[in-house]
Amino acid sequence: MSRPDASAAHPPHRHGDKPVTSLLSILRKPWLWAFIAAGAAFVATAAVTQAGGWGLGMTALTFAAFSVLVGIGQMFVITLGPGNVDLSIPATMTLAGTLALKAMAGDPAMIPVGLAIALASGLAVGVVNYGLIRLLSIPPIIATLSASFLIQSAAIWSNRGLRVKPPQALADFATGRALGVPNVAVVALLVAVLAWVVLERALAGRRVLAIGQNMRAARLAGVPVDAVRFATYVSCAVLAGLAGFLLASFSGGAALNMGAEYLLMSIAVVVIGGSSIAGGNSNVPGIWGASLFMFLIVSMLNSYGAGAGVRMILTGVIIIAIVAAAGGRKVSR
Amino acid sequence: MSDQTDTTPVVALENARKLFGAVRALDGVTLAIAPGECLGLVGHNGAGKSTLVNLVNGGLNLTEGTIRLGAGTASPETSIAAARAAGVRCVFQELSLCPNLTVTENVRIPHRGLTGRGWRRRARAIVAEKLAEIFPGHAIDPGAAVGALSIAERQMVEIAIAFSVFDEPPRLVILDEPTSSLDAGLAEQLLAHVRRFCAAGGAVIFISHMLGEILDIASRIVVMKDGRITEERARGGFDRQGLVDAMGHVAAEGAEDPRAAARSLEGAEVVISTPGGLTARRGEIVGLAGLGGHGQAEALEQICLARSSSWKGTRSPKVAFVAGDRARDGLFPIWSILRNATLSRLPALTRRGLVDRAAEEEMAAEWRRRIGIRTDDMDNPILSLSGGNQQKVLFARALGTSAPVVLMDDPMRGVDVGTKRDVYDMIRAEAAGGRTFIWYSTETEEVCQCDRVYVFRLGRIAAELTGAEITEENILAASFEMEAAE
């Protein structure tokens, strides 16, 4: 028999709030492993690639940026506690990209309208998702999965096989760099900083963390549980909309399967980044580390000439190893 | 049961020390428990009682000193398996059954030997027999999921499992606050069983903050303070006052009637009025009494949910809630003490959406001092605290808000006498300042602190008692009234 809250079973330990222990506290950070792994994959790839370290780094930042945008949204949803996950991210990306590009029709003057449409479609998806979860009491995994069929159908219906090109100025922005850093990476970095502030410093983030640990206690302590969960699902969908808008602009047009790889990616970067899949305990830096890692691991296997099958198997094995190694570090919570 | 002539101690601790970092949880304890003995263990929250229990049951290893189980050799090493093999059983204050399993299936968890075909049938027979023996007339179905049982029923099941005889008969049963969620009738049944068990040669360590029970049942009383045994006397060596003094709290036991002059609040504004007929006035302390599980907790929950929104947060909540079932209704287990304490107050400590962390720390420091949370750092994890100190954090969370109404769901379970008195005083002072308290309690002493009491029976209010009418006899009478009328 073990006792859940005996003082004896949980020796008090101090957090790293003293200078002496600050190094130790960094070593205990759950996101450290994602960055170590990304660094290792970077070194291994840069050693054999022709493009050189700088080129590889910039490419990694570009592609990681899209994973970061959807990963942050997914992280907040997963933080809400067991059972919370948004499976409609790929469909939302597709819908947002499709509608926005169609509305802009290649006209640079319409770029703000296109962006607004992309974000609004994300907003609508978020409202529908939480409506299904709350009003019909459907588990989030089912609600967002079924919603994604509706969303995907809406995208197909509005697209009708057309491939609209983004306005040239927007395409230039999405593929361009400012001071050598990819623009999309700058956008993702700004979003990440904002997400960090919300999670670590804002009342809203504190409430998300509380709900993830004990929803009933949060409600009784006066946390507006429904409002917080609603806002979280909506934010996740809006971020997916933004990611879809940028990805469609980046790749020269929206495609119906453009979001497909971001379903597992969004969940993988949360887990590899050291956030707890059980909720209540998350971190933003890990999303960046894990997103870079997920891109670099594929680059590494490519540059060593691994075939598609071997690549997928090794990717899976490496992810499991990272999660196992990071998981062992989280005992102290 | 063990051989009656055997006088070898069931467990003997020699100069036992247990350190957690810099905290001396147990600081040199020498204690032997003989067969047939009922050892009463008292002390404040954080005095080291739980640590002592965890050493005896093998859950923790000693930092220094030795432990000897039965006729074995004295050793600094111990284990849960060794303790179980020596017949040590434990009933925890925080219930430790698996809520998703049935009563029968829970029996299997401590009793590894229950295997093979038909183990459910055997387990069911054993637990049903023991339940009937200890709590005659109980209504627990061994096939029911534990999650569907009331907190009192879960405690009864856990007690029955601990006393059951499987491959190893129990030689020492540790009861940590066993009666805190039982009503008077069930508590009396348990005490009777403990007497029978000890008379047959079994040993019991009985931990309780209800001093009357300790004085009644224990053949020897041990007082702990700051990780040491400060006093130890045989039965009759202590009276109630002596025991309170020995525990060494500044707040001495009050006069016979702890109730302040009954206050008349007839003219005060009514702040709560429910469809169920419950009303409360400004500055009033309203008690909810009756047998456990008769709708008091549900009434509190309804008041709380009806007067707070799940869509709109607010700086000035209408109600604040103090949970009694801490793990289910109160604690955020990953968080620090500080974050647990400040959550309800947080909207008022927020500027432009961002938490003012200096103000938050200030509030935590103030409440640590006011309510005496025993920790060296409010950034420590909440689970590093003892149960009673966790409860204080939940009090701080609720009292720290500006809410005019505070709802308390039997919040004193496992809280020591000294802290209780401090909290009573705090509640009185807050009520005098205009705050309303609605207080469900299973302890008559607490109900007597109230200005007015509703007695619940079968989910409804069966009686309303005011002032001098609030007595144990009247409450018990009202609790059983309808049954008599049927």
Side-chain angles (χ1 to χ4, degrees):
Chain A
M1 278 194 229
S2 81
R3 178 176 174 173
D5 77 339
S7 57
H10 300 271
H13 69 265
R14 298 180 62 92
H15 289 293
D17 52 357
K18 288 184 175 170
V20 200
T21 55
S22 61
L23 182 66
L24 273 173
S25 82
I26 290 216
L27 286 176
R28 256 196 311 241
K29 293 289 184 198
W31 44 259
L32 187 69
W33 287 91
F35 279 100
I36 290 175
F42 179 81
V43 170
T45 315
V48 295
T49 186
Q50 271 92 27
W54 179 260
L56 176 66
M58 289 308 115
T59 315
L61 282 178
T62 306
F63 283 94
F66 300 112
S67 310
V68 167
L69 288 176
V70 293
I72 285 174
Q74 188 72 278
M75 180 200 77
F76 276 104
V77 170
I78 287 178
T79 310
L80 286 175
N84 285 290
V85 68
D86 186 350
L87 299 185
S88 68
I89 285 177
T92 310
M93 290 173 75
T94 306
L95 180 69
T98 306
L99 292 182
L101 261 58
K102 200 176 170 190
M104 291 185 290
D107 179 0
M110 291 291 281
I111 292 175
V113 177
L115 178 62
I117 286 177
L119 299 182
S121 43
L123 185 91
V125 169
V127 171
V128 169
N129 278 343
Y130 196 65
L132 289 174
I133 293 167
R134 186 71 181 83
L135 297 179
L136 303 183
S137 300
I138 303 176
I141 194 164
I142 308 291
T144 55
L145 186 63
S146 48
S148 80
F149 286 113
L150 302 177
I151 301 160
Q152 188 79 16
S153 305
I156 292 170
W157 176 75
S158 72
N159 181 297
R160 293 175 195 272
L162 294 173
R163 190 166 174 89
V164 187
K165 281 201 175 305
Q168 193 55 44
L170 184 58
D172 290 346
F173 172 82
T175 52
R177 295 175 181 189
L179 302 172
V181 181
N183 289 327
V184 286
V186 174
V187 172
L189 190 64
L190 291 176
V191 170
V193 169
L194 183 68
W196 184 87
V197 171
V198 169
L199 186 69
E200 306 284 341
R201 295 281 181 269
L203 177 63
R206 196 70 75 83
R207 286 172 162 170
V208 171
L209 291 168
I211 292 171
Q213 293 173 66
N214 191 340
M215 188 153 106
R216 186 178 156 82
R219 177 69 180 83
L220 291 170
V223 173
V225 170
D226 276 317
V228 174
R229 295 179 76 208
F230 174 74
T232 306
Y233 274 93
V234 167
S235 311
C236 178
V238 168
L239 281 172
L242 176 64
F245 177 76
L246 290 174
L247 184 60
S249 309
F250 175 81
S251 51
L256 285 176
N257 63 349
M258 62 185 259
E261 67 172 298
Y262 290 97
L263 177 56
L264 285 178
M265 180 70 83
S266 67
I267 299 170
V269 296
V270 173
V271 177
I272 297 173
S275 296
S276 166
I277 199 80
N281 189 11
S282 292
N283 74 87
V284 175
I287 302 288
W288 259 108
S291 298
L292 288 168
F293 168 71
M294 288 297 282
F295 175 80
L296 287 164
I297 192 70
V298 175
S299 310
M300 182 184 89
L301 295 171
N302 269 334
S303 58
Y304 282 86
V310 176
R311 208 165 61 213
M312 291 186 79
I313 291 171
L314 281 179
T315 309
V317 168
I318 291 168
I319 291 175
I320 291 169
I322 297 284
V323 172
R329 290 259 147 182
K330 268 186 280 180
V331 209
S332 69
R333 298 208 293 197
Chain B
M1 294 299 143
S2 63
D3 186 358
Q4 294 231 12
T5 58
D6 183 5
T7 52
T8 320
V10 188
V11 173
L13 288 167
E14 187 71 35
N15 196 29
R17 272 176 215 277
K18 181 71 197 176
L19 309 184
F20 294 113
V23 179
R24 289 163 180 274
L26 213 59
D27 194 11
V29 165
T30 299
L31 182 68
I33 298 144
E37 187 172 33
C38 178
L39 183 81
L41 190 56
V42 296
H44 293 301
N45 296 130
K49 304 186 298 291
S50 295
T51 308
L52 181 67
V53 166
N54 278 310
L55 288 175
V56 171
N57 72 18
L60 287 172
N61 266 319
L62 294 110
T63 311
E64 264 178 57
T66 61
I67 181 168
R68 188 157 58 89
L69 293 162
T73 50
S75 149
E77 297 277 315
T78 173
S79 71
I80 291 174
R84 280 204 68 81
V88 177
R89 305 281 179 84
C90 216
V91 175
F92 291 105
Q93 162 192 349
E94 293 306 318
L95 309 161
S96 58
L97 299 172
C98 301
N100 56 330
L101 302 180
T102 65
V103 171
T104 310
E105 287 161 349
N106 267 289
V107 174
R108 169 67 180 77
I109 294 168
H111 297 295
R112 302 273 169 88
L114 267 176
T115 52
R117 284 175 60 84
W119 68 265
R120 276 172 213 273
R121 191 171 33 76
R122 273 180 285 143
R124 188 186 172 102
I126 291 168
V127 74
E129 184 197 346
K130 204 42 101 174
L131 271 171
E133 180 188 335
I134 305 174
F135 302 107
H138 74 90
I140 300 170
D141 171 14
V146 164
L149 300 180
S150 74
I151 205 162
E153 287 173 329
R154 280 186 246 176
Q155 182 78 72
M156 290 156 69
V157 168
E158 201 164 337
I159 291 168
I161 292 176
F163 278 106
S164 303
V165 179
F166 291 88
D167 30 335
E168 273 292 331
R171 299 190 64 215
L172 169 65
V173 177
I174 302 167
L175 299 166
D176 189 351
E177 292 287 344
T179 58
S180 59
S181 44
L182 302 181
D183 61 50
L186 293 170
E188 195 43 59
Q189 290 180 336
L190 172 65
L191 295 187
H193 181 78
V194 167
R195 274 187 211 101
R196 289 197 297 274
F197 180 73
C198 290
V204 167
I205 297 179
F206 196 96
I207 301 176
S208 178
H209 290 311
M210 301 191 199
L211 303 183
E213 274 174 5
I214 293 273
L215 291 166
D216 181 26
I217 191 84
S219 56
R220 181 160 61 115
I221 297 177
V222 165
V223 181
M224 289 190 72
K225 195 179 162 189
D226 297 331
R228 295 164 193 266
I229 293 180
T230 51
E231 285 220 48
E232 182 175 346
R233 289 187 203 168
R235 182 184 177 81
F238 282 111
D239 59 7
R240 193 179 167 83
Q241 187 58 45
L243 204 48
V244 171
D245 291 344
M247 287 166 67
H249 199 271
V250 281
E253 186 92 346
E256 263 307 288
D257 184 6
R259 196 178 324 151
R263 301 176 305 154
S264 176
L265 293 152
E266 289 292 317
E269 169 198 4
V270 174
V271 288
I272 294 277
S273 176
T274 70
L278 192 157
T279 60
R281 293 171 189 280
R282 190 169 180 279
E284 192 173 32
I285 305 176
V286 176
L288 308 184
L291 301 176
H294 276 260
Q296 300 94 331
E298 289 76 5
L300 280 179
E301 190 181 325
Q302 273 166 19
I303 295 173
C304 181
L305 296 183
R307 280 168 183 71
S308 59
S309 165
S310 71
W311 282 101
K312 204 174 169 309
T314 170
R315 278 162 188 255
S316 39
K318 293 197 187 76
V319 292
F321 186 85
V322 184
D325 189 340
R326 289 189 293 273
R328 190 186 66 161
D329 299 340
L331 294 181
F332 299 98
I334 301 176
W335 269 355
S336 63
I337 303 166
L338 177 128
R339 286 192 167 196
N340 267 284
T342 58
L343 181 68
S344 292
R345 170 90 176 144
L346 218 48
L349 305 175
T350 300
R351 268 182 228 138
R352 284 190 236 102
L354 298 185
V355 174
D356 181 344
R357 295 200 297 163
E360 188 187 9
E361 273 173 30
E362 200 176 300
M363 175 200 164
E366 184 200 329
W367 279 95
R368 175 186 170 188
R369 184 179 51 72
R370 274 184 73 176
I371 208 163
I373 298 164
R374 271 183 62 124
T375 180
D376 55 350
D377 188 344
M378 291 293 276
D379 284 330
N380 283 334
I382 183 75
L383 294 182
S384 71
L385 293 178
S386 66
N389 275 293
Q390 291 174 8
Q391 192 67 57
K392 292 185 198 171
V393 175
L394 298 187
F395 267 110
R397 183 194 290 167
L399 296 178
T401 65
S402 60
V405 178
V406 177
L407 310 168
M408 304 193 289
D409 179 8
D410 200 7
M412 299 291 193
R413 293 196 301 124
V415 174
D416 67 60
V417 176
T419 307
K420 275 183 187 173
R421 303 220 144 254
D422 292 346
V423 174
Y424 294 163
D425 290 345
M426 207 174 282
I427 290 171
R428 294 231 141 259
E430 295 270 344
R435 232 181 210 187
T436 306
F437 288 84
I438 303 183
W439 187 356
Y440 165 43
S441 175
T442 47
E443 290 177 39
T444 311
E445 182 198 346
E446 289 174 10
V447 175
C448 292
Q449 301 273 324
C450 299
D451 299 316
R452 203 152 51 80
V453 173
Y454 290 104
V455 183
F456 276 66
R457 169 97 186 130
L458 299 173
R460 289 196 303 271
I461 293 173
E464 181 183 344
L465 307 173
T466 315
E469 294 165 22
I470 307 172
T471 62
E472 180 154 22
E473 297 75 56
N474 283 346
I475 292 170
L476 278 176
S479 303
F480 291 102
E481 191 174 33
M482 284 192 238
E483 203 169 64
E486 271 161 16

